[in-house]
Amino acid sequence: MTIAHDGTAFDWTGRTVLVTGAEGFIGSTLVDLLVARGARVRAFVHYKPYAEKGHLKRYLADGTGEVEMWAGDVRDAGRVSDAVAGCDTVFHLAALIGIPYSYDSPGAYVQTNVTGTQNVAEACRRWGVRRLVHTSTSEVYGTALTAPISETHPLQPQSPYSASKIGADMMALSFHHAFELPVAVVRPFNTYGPRQSARAVIPTILAQLHAGVREIRLGSLTPTRDFTYVTDTAEGFLAVAACDRALGEVVNLGTGQEISIGDLAAALIAASGREASVVTDPARLRPSGSEVERLLSDNSRALAWASWAPRVPLAEGLRRTSDWVATHPHLFAPARYQV
Ligand SMILES: NC(=O)c1ccc[n+]([C@@H]2O[C@H](COP(=O)([O-])OP(=O)(O)OC[C@H]3O[C@@H](n4cnc5c(N)ncnc54)[C@H](O)[C@@H]3O)[C@@H](O)[C@H]2O)c1
């Protein structure tokens, strides 16, 4: 049961809920929470020729039909509109999220993240959904000018990814201002946990440790990040979807704790029970103006408005993630290691 900001219970039972990016890391975790609460989930998954369903395979296999699969592409307005029809709530998570690839292909980020969000907002307006929850990212803040970072901190596009998410956030919020679309923006800080791809720093380090690598090669070790365990992040999405105060607003989802990448690597070595040293690999450094040096959330709005607070301490979350990576080596072939 999600508790709304006024303390009343918000009942998901029987609500039709669309999740875009549903087969992904955070999206599939959100689907699990919604199914457990009795929602009728419509999973918008990126169409791929070989019909992969990412982390939703269990819903195909168990035959219960509790998750309705919609293959599509958020760049296709017609397909998005068909998927949104009849929904109570829409969680929009689909996005291109890798920062390095955004240096190579910024146009793809504009099309998927900005135009895709426009298509979702248009469809929600057309069909009159109760609530659209749009997903932002702490990357839009860039290196903290003041810390902790509240929702009023300036936005600094230090990568094309960040720029595309700023554009997407503004598009979603413009639909609130111009058309009174009931949209709320959640802004997760770095999220980690089971199912995250090898692209991200925590699974990359863990995969190498569990493969027996003795020298972990990373980019800059000094930047700090605020890491939230994935079920806490997904609970934040549900809390904001139940919170009328968040309409037309942005809500940070973070722990209010920061750790440097170097200290994180040391914590992961401890969590994995392996031995290794950490070295800086110049090939993995980001362009200097693009490296976000510090991200630390002010999460007081999420607590005050949506009664949300993270529950899983970092050490416990890292241990769970380490166990998951150790038991899924097939997802982490050596060629996939990249930070
Ligand atoms: N992981 C984090 O630390 C983090 C932090 C802040 C914000 N976010 C945001 O959370 C959301 C989910 O990220 P994630 O970490 O689960 O990443 P992910 O890559 O696992 O999920 C993104 C999903 O979007 C889908 N997608 C991509 N292009 C699409 C298209 N054209 N049409 C339809 N679907 C498409 C992908 O197939 C994937 O399932 C993103 O919006 C991301 O910007 C993530």
Side-chain angles (χ1 to χ4, degrees):
M1 189 73 74
T2 303
I3 305 299
H5 71 293
D6 60 1
T8 57
F10 186 88
D11 192 357
W12 288 99
T13 311
R15 291 176 188 267
T16 301
V17 179
L18 182 74
V19 180
T20 72
E23 78 278 38
F25 163 50
I26 301 174
S28 64
T29 306
L30 180 59
V31 168
D32 289 346
L33 296 186
L34 285 163
V35 168
R37 284 164 171 78
R40 299 152 60 94
V41 178
R42 207 173 271 180
F44 195 89
V45 301
H46 196 185
Y47 171 80
K48 303 207 180 65
Y50 301 102
E52 292 175 20
K53 294 291 182 288
H55 295 296
L56 295 178
K57 288 193 191 80
R58 56 174 281 224
Y59 294 109
L60 298 176
D62 70 10
T64 58
E66 54 195 344
V67 173
E68 191 187 347
M69 300 287 174
W70 279 66
D73 190 314
V74 292
R75 292 169 294 184
D76 179 348
R79 184 64 174 158
V80 170
S81 179
D82 289 347
V84 168
C87 286
D88 168 88
T89 305
V90 173
F91 291 100
H92 175 44
L93 289 85
L96 290 177
I97 74 160
I99 292 169
Y101 183 50
S102 81
Y103 300 139
D104 299 333
S105 193
Y109 283 67
V110 172
Q111 290 159 21
T112 299
N113 297 355
V114 184
T115 306
T117 298
Q118 178 198 338
N119 291 337
V120 171
E122 290 273 15
C124 290
R125 180 184 175 212
R126 175 178 181 194
W127 295 111
V129 303
R130 179 195 65 85
R131 180 66 45 89
L132 165 62
V133 176
H134 164 73
T135 312
S136 179
T137 168
S138 57
E139 284 288 327
V140 301
Y141 293 126
T143 299
L145 301 173
T146 54
I149 298 174
S150 75
E151 291 84 351
T152 57
H153 186 283
L155 305 182
Q156 307 179 96
Q158 287 181 235
S159 64
Y161 167 62
S162 170
S164 71
K165 293 295 277 190
I166 293 171
D169 296 357
M170 296 305 131
M171 185 60 76
L173 289 169
S174 78
F175 271 66
H176 177 77
H177 299 307
F179 310 120
E180 298 181 358
L181 184 72
V183 57
V185 177
V186 286
R187 186 163 286 159
F189 282 58
N190 289 64
T191 296
Y192 73 100
R195 303 179 186 171
Q196 189 166 28
S197 78
R199 174 202 55 76
V201 65
I202 288 177
T204 296
I205 294 172
L206 285 171
Q208 292 179 69
L209 288 169
H210 287 298
V213 173
R214 302 298 292 261
E215 189 176 79
I216 307 295
R217 305 178 76 80
L218 298 174
S220 181
L221 303 180
T222 54
T224 67
R225 293 290 183 271
D226 177 337
F227 287 99
T228 309
Y229 192 69
V230 64
T231 50
D232 281 334
T233 299
E235 289 286 359
F237 279 67
L238 297 182
V240 169
C243 171
D244 291 342
R245 181 67 185 83
L247 286 175
E249 301 282 358
V250 175
V251 179
N252 283 345
L253 299 177
T255 67
Q257 309 278 327
E258 66 187 319
I259 185 170
S260 71
I261 299 302
D263 288 347
L264 174 72
L268 288 167
I269 291 168
S272 68
R274 302 280 179 153
E275 286 185 17
S277 58
V278 175
V279 294
T280 302
D281 179 351
R284 294 168 188 265
L285 294 174
R286 290 189 197 173
S288 59
S290 191
E291 181 61 83
V292 174
E293 296 292 345
R294 187 179 192 198
L295 290 174
L296 171 64
S297 71
D298 176 347
N299 59 12
S300 51
R301 187 177 277 190
L303 181 62
W305 289 5
S307 305
W308 176 85
R311 292 187 179 162
V312 181
L314 184 64
E316 169 64 16
L318 295 182
R319 195 190 54 70
R320 290 186 203 171
T321 310
S322 176
D323 290 349
W324 185 81
V325 171
T327 52
H328 294 77
H330 54 288
L331 296 178
F332 299 98
R336 296 189 182 185
Y337 299 152
Q338 46 180 273
V339 175

